[in-house]
Amino acid sequence: MTSHFPPVTTVVLLCLLLHSTDGTCPSICLCTSDTLSCGSQGLTRLPLLLHHTTATLDLSYNRLGWIGPGSFSSLPRLDTLRLANNQLSTIGHGVFHNASSLRHLDLSSNRLQVMEQHCLQGLWRLEELLLYNNRIAHVEGGMLSGLSSLRKVYFSLNQITEFPFFSIQDHSHPFLTMLDLSSNRLTTLPWEDVKALPGSVQKGLYLHNNSLVCECSMYSVFWHWEQRGFDSVREFTEENTCLIYGEPRSSVQILQHSRYFQNCTVGKVVSLPVAVLISNLIVYEGERVQLDCQTSLRGKELSYMWVSPNQEHLTWTSFNDTLMNVFPNGTLEIPAARVNDTGVYVCMTRDNKHMLNATREVNVTVVSAMPYSFSTGYTTLLGCVVSLVVILMYLYLTPCRCGCCKQPQAIPIPAYNPGTLASIFSPTLSNKHVVFIEPMLEDQNGGLRVALATERSTLQWEWDTSGLT
Ligand SMILES: *[C@@H]1O[C@H](CO)[C@@H](O)[C@H](O)[C@H]1NC(C)=O
Ligand SMILES: *[C@@H]1O[C@H](CO)[C@@H](O)[C@H](O)[C@H]1NC(C)=O
Ligand SMILES: *[C@@H]1O[C@H](CO)[C@@H](O)[C@H](O)[C@H]1NC(C)=O
Ligand SMILES: *[C@@H]1O[C@H](CO)[C@@H](O)[C@H](O)[C@H]1NC(C)=O
Ligand SMILES: *[C@@H]1O[C@H](CO)[C@@H](O)[C@H](O)[C@H]1NC(C)=O
Ligand SMILES: *[C@@H]1O[C@H](CO)[C@@H](O)[C@H](O)[C@H]1NC(C)=O
Ligand SMILES: *[C@@H]1O[C@H](CO)[C@@H](O)[C@H](O)[C@H]1NC(C)=O
Ligand SMILES: *[C@@H]1O[C@H](CO)[C@@H](O)[C@H](O)[C@H]1NC(C)=O
């Protein structure tokens, strides 16, 4: 009977059979373990039959115009969702219902116009949100609320005129270090709200290529950012412009034309509580550590006080302590760091003349000279060295049984040349790397993160911060 079927039908039947045994990979997608790639397929609707173990779903470069509520609720392990370069004009209510494992969401290059109040509700694990190159004009106040794991949000190349800075507070988004609002249509910002943002958010707030109106409140914010050496102003000095009286043709570079702002009092702003600047330092045990206390205060008569993790108060000491010293310029020195010196050190500067205060925090982590996780690697390496030396000794130093004794000069001194050793060792060294990489690749998430890091290396600060956690 089967021989009567036309060949096409047979193929279709075969496909169906294969499909039902596999049962999980939509025919137009490429499936590998937990990754589903359905990019560039001209899709107008989500594919059906997505396997519930999917961790990465790539739907970019399609023609999706709408996604229904709960579309991803059958994917409890979905970690990365790429929807870039589609035709989405809105994210309706409940689209991400039950998709709370999402950590990376790419909605860039779509046609989104409004980011509504609760459109991303429930994504409390979301770390990275890409919304650049859409048509977003309005970001509603509660849009970011509840997204408490956010680290990086990219809103550039949209048409945003107002942004709800007030919704980002000290404890609402503790990990947020990048808020890119560049290339939008911002004119006047609520600068008081901007100044009230947590220091780590201010540090990663990008505002270049907007249409900011020149005003003193704006200038003082940029001035303080420059004083603290934030990359957002240092790297975009020329692009950080403002318009005099909002006139499009009267653009000036904010920090290059300080004469225009000569009548602005930036000092007055300093007297408001200055946001804390935190930095992280990792040192090895026994190293000398110097923590400087540079804050926004620039006066000559500053007094400094450090509070150690044990709540000890340290001020300038003329004596020479072997554990910790504070120098007249405010620098704290730990001559030889110990593991139990780990913790957050807070420096408080005070300008007595102008009654100004500023604070700086440094998170110091002292690690033992040889971390445990590396010990197996070193042991392996050591084992190889020992066996190599034994082999070399066996080859060249064993009592002769042949005529080689006649050439005592042939004992190959060059074999002990470090250069030669290095080339002999290189396979061993690369093995050492494999030892470290393999467990990571076996682990689903680890492997995924490696993939993300290579793919997105063009975005700033990608791997170094998120990779540490
Ligand atoms: C969401 O998940 C919960 C529990 O896992 C389940 O009871 C509920 O039906 C799901 N909702 C949807 C819309 O799938
Ligand atoms: C500045 O923003 C406009 C749109 O607002 C965009 O077309 C342009 O490419 C941006 N320029 C740069 C240098 O980013
Ligand atoms: C600053 O103030 C001085 C004197 O009050 C005035 O002459 C000058 O035009 C002002 N500069 C600007 C840029 O407004
Ligand atoms: C501190 O003491 C050490 C030895 O006790 C000495 O070498 C060093 O020069 C002293 N430093 C200062 C600044 O007095
Ligand atoms: C402060 O002084 C100490 C000792 O004189 C010096 O080592 C350190 O580099 C100085 N720090 C700064 C920020 O100038
Ligand atoms: C820190 O460790 C050192 C020895 O490494 C010890 O002498 C010292 O008492 C410890 N300090 C604290 C506060 O535990
Ligand atoms: C500045 O510090 C002093 C003493 O450390 C404190 O009494 C004062 O309230 C602080 N002022 C501000 C504005 O934080
Ligand atoms: C300090 O840094 C360590 C490791 O870099 C981190 O685990 C810890 O949470 C940090 N502490 C604070 C208060 O930021």
Side-chain angles (χ1 to χ4, degrees), residues 97-159:
H97 198 88
N98 275 14
S100 61
S101 349
L102 260 193
R103 293 194 298 132
H104 306 274
L105 176 57
D106 187 353
L107 288 164
S108 59
S109 303
N110 273 284
R111 298 177 183 173
L112 299 173
Q113 291 169 10
V114 178
M115 289 312 288
E116 281 170 28
Q117 190 91 344
H118 299 299
C119 57
L120 302 179
Q121 197 175 24
L123 300 185
W124 58 273
R125 286 203 188 94
L126 193 65
E127 292 176 12
E128 187 183 53
L129 175 59
L130 309 184
L131 286 166
Y132 58 83
N133 195 25
N134 273 284
R135 299 174 187 173
I136 302 171
H138 190 52
V139 180
E140 288 189 356
M143 184 232 143
L144 294 174
S145 66
L147 307 183
S148 51
S149 301
L150 269 188
R151 287 162 196 271
K152 293 166 190 183
V153 190
Y154 300 88
F155 273 110
S156 61
L157 288 167
N158 275 294
Q159 300 164 12

Side-chain angles (χ1 to χ4, degrees), residues 172-277:
S172 63
H173 301 85
F175 309 106
L176 190 60
T177 52
M178 163 69 87
L179 177 55
D180 184 1
L181 288 168
S182 60
S183 302
N184 272 288
R185 298 197 183 156
L186 298 166
T187 52
T188 52
L189 298 194
W191 293 108
E192 290 300 320
D193 291 353
V194 174
K195 276 187 292 195
L197 287 171
S200 50
V201 179
Q202 290 189 42
K203 185 164 190 229
L205 177 57
Y206 287 75
L207 291 171
H208 55 274
N209 196 22
N210 273 285
S211 315
L212 298 178
V213 174
C214 300
E215 49 187 341
C216 283
S217 49
M218 177 216 67
Y219 176 70
S220 78
V221 169
F222 276 85
W223 184 82
H224 285 291
W225 289 348
E226 191 194 30
Q227 298 294 305
R228 297 180 198 182
F230 286 178
D231 286 346
S232 54
V233 286
R234 252 201 347 217
E235 286 175 12
F236 296 95
T237 315
E238 286 173 17
E239 290 87 346
N240 270 312
T241 54
C242 67
L243 310 177
I244 298 172
Y245 303 122
E247 250 314 300
R249 273 171 294 167
S250 61
S251 164
V252 298
Q253 289 170 359
I254 298 171
L255 294 164
Q256 308 278 299
H257 289 77
S258 47
R259 216 181 321 139
Y260 178 77
F261 299 101
Q262 66 189 359
N263 295 349
C264 297
T265 47
V266 285
K268 220 172 190 172
V269 179
V270 186
S271 61
L272 294 164
V274 176
V276 173
L277 189 65

Side-chain angles (χ1 to χ4, degrees), residues 323-334:
L323 295 178
M324 273 180 212
N325 288 307
V326 177
F327 295 116
N329 61 8
T331 296
L332 173 78
E333 185 189 63
I334 307 175

Side-chain angles (χ1 to χ4, degrees), residues 28 38-48 50 57-68 71-72 81-91 95 106-112 134:
I28 45 169
C38 316
S40 311
Q41 296 296 333
L43 294 177
T44 51
R45 289 191 324 180
L46 286 187
L48 299 170
L50 300 175
L57 177 55
D58 185 359
L59 291 164
S60 40
Y61 292 97
N62 278 300
R63 281 189 252 137
L64 299 172
W66 183 79
I67 298 178
S71 289
F72 307 103
L81 176 58
R82 301 189 208 287
L83 285 164
N85 290 285
N86 274 287
Q87 300 174 1
L88 298 171
S89 57
T90 173
I91 298 296
V95 166
D106 187 353
L107 288 164
S108 59
S109 303
N110 273 284
R111 298 177 183 173
L112 299 173
N134 273 284

